[in-house]
Amino acid sequence: MGGYAQFVWGAFGVWFVCMIFNIIAARRRFRFSVERATMATMRQQHRMSRKMKQNEARK
């Protein structure tokens, strides 16, 4: 590689580390988003069931 091997392989190493970090970060964000959406859905269902019970109690 004409004496540039350390720079070429170093650049490949940095690229590889960045790609791995990017994959891990994307998976963590996705998992957090799914958990957040699940919690929001559960809260909404709880509110709806509470409202239905209140309406039934008024009748």
Side-chain angles (χ1 to χ4, degrees):
M1 292 192 182
Y4 295 105
Q6 67 184 16
F7 301 110
V8 172
W9 289 112
F12 277 127
V14 170
W15 174 84
F16 185 74
V17 169
C18 288
M19 291 296 112
I20 296 299
F21 174 77
N22 195 14
I23 290 168
I24 292 170
R27 286 184 177 186
R28 289 183 69 198
R29 281 192 304 266
F30 177 75
R31 193 175 334 128
F32 177 73
S33 297
V34 169
E35 289 174 5
R36 189 171 169 193
T38 302
M39 291 301 292
T41 302
M42 290 173 61
R43 267 188 258 119
Q44 184 178 11
Q45 288 175 347
H46 179 69
R47 285 186 200 131
M48 292 299 290
S49 66
R50 199 169 41 175
K51 282 185 180 181
M52 289 176 67
K53 288 179 184 177
Q54 288 174 351
N55 289 339
E56 289 174 3
R58 289 180 187 169
K59 290 181 181 180

